[in-house]
Amino acid sequence: MRIRVVNPNTTAAMTALIGASARAVAGPGVLVEAVTSAMGPASIESHYDEALSVPGLLAAVAAGEADGVDGFVIACFGDPGLDAARELARGPVVGIAEAAMHAATLLGRGFSVVTTLDRTRGRAWDLAARYVAAGACRGVHACAIPVLALDADPHLADRVTAVARLALDQDGSDVIVLGCAGMAGLCDTVSSRLGVPVIDGVAAGVLLVRSLITLRLSTSVHGEYARPPVKEYAGALSGFAQGDSANSPVSRGSRAM
Ligand code: 2AL
């Protein structure tokens, strides 16, 4: 089984961290292919970044389709391009916020998210409103560290632990969700310090996709996630038009289910 984990920002060092977290849980018989988006922002921490990360993400999904991978994880906590990726891929596609928030609801009555910058909190709330029942997400807290500063911060685990401890107290939550793919290595440390489950969406996403593939389940093409209609795309995005597979960065595969 091949699972492609796409880092939709263009920072290869972060992809290496994401790949290590994914491989640590993938299990035997699962080949994890961690790839970096070829175009877009170096990190995703605004709505603008997120919007402009989507073409690169979709190109990476299309390349995975052409290579015959079995499923995808979108390894950014804003889950950029998730619905669009589902329209392109034959296999299941899961976002890391989606995977982590769903997992959190299986482990406690309420969870808190610990994310990077304050300005990314709104997106996390939007995703919680989409994915989980009202009240399940009890708080979203920022640790005020930019995405690309995470791996160089010698106090990262301390900072995330302190913010998570505050979140548990303030929100009355039972579970912590880490709100950035760049926090992937912190679960065990923060969990052992706080005594609550701490969820990394990269690991949760890989195992969720693995489960769906094992169950021979994939995205339904019955309704909204049917293939996008064929039409012209203009300008810099002309190569993204569906139906012209010859030169397209998002050429189609065929999906049975
Ligand atoms: C992220 C993430 O996971 N990757 C990225 O570039 N930005 N999330 C975040 N909350 O900052």
Side-chain angles (χ1 to χ4, degrees):
M1 178 192 303
R2 289 168 68 194
I3 299 178
R4 196 158 285 191
V5 181
V6 182
N7 174 15
N9 75 40
T10 55
T11 300
M14 199 163 148
T15 310
L17 177 85
I18 289 166
S21 172
R23 286 186 196 97
V25 299
V30 180
L31 179 63
V32 169
E33 301 168 343
V35 301
T36 309
S37 183
M39 60 178 121
S43 64
I44 300 165
E45 44 199 8
S46 67
H47 297 290
Y48 186 83
D49 293 341
E50 185 167 314
L52 290 173
S53 73
V54 174
L57 176 273
L58 294 178
V61 169
E65 281 298 287
D67 291 348
V69 308
D70 299 300
F72 296 88
V73 175
I74 300 176
C76 170
F77 201 79
D79 292 355
L82 175 61
D83 293 304
R86 286 194 171 129
E87 293 176 345
L88 283 188
R90 285 171 302 237
V93 184
V94 167
I96 64 170
E98 182 180 47
M101 289 185 189
H102 280 99
T105 65
L106 307 177
L107 302 171
R109 295 285 293 183
F111 65 86
S112 299
V113 177
V114 177
T115 188
T116 54
L117 300 183
D118 203 51
R119 64 181 301 156
T120 69
R121 292 174 58 241
R123 177 68 180 166
W125 276 116
D126 288 350
L127 293 178
R130 170 175 170 173
Y131 298 143
V132 297
C137 181
R138 296 192 177 162
V140 180
H141 302 254
C143 63
I145 304 174
V147 174
L148 296 184
L150 288 171
D151 69 338
D153 190 326
H155 307 295
L156 179 63
D158 294 341
R159 179 82 188 124
V160 170
T161 304
V163 175
R165 182 175 280 120
L166 199 75
L168 291 170
D169 290 348
Q170 273 183 5
D171 303 342
S173 53
D174 316 307
V175 177
I176 294 295
V177 166
L178 298 177
C180 180
M183 295 177 176
L186 295 176
C187 280
D188 290 349
T189 309
V190 179
S191 180
S192 66
R193 289 180 184 177
L194 297 177
V196 298
V198 177
I199 304 174
D200 157 37
V202 175
V206 166
L207 291 180
L208 193 48
V209 167
R210 186 183 88 168
S211 300
L212 293 170
I213 296 167
T214 304
L215 291 165
R216 299 161 118 6
L217 293 171
S218 188
T219 306
S220 172
V221 293
H222 183 69
E224 194 173 312
Y225 288 136
R227 293 275 162 188
V230 173
K231 69 188 65 168
E232 282 184 23
Y233 272 52
L237 297 182
S238 60
F240 284 80
Q242 291 295 291
D244 171 20
S245 60
N247 302 311
S248 173
V250 283
S251 61
R252 293 151 164 259
S254 66
R255 190 163 52 183
M257 290 177 284

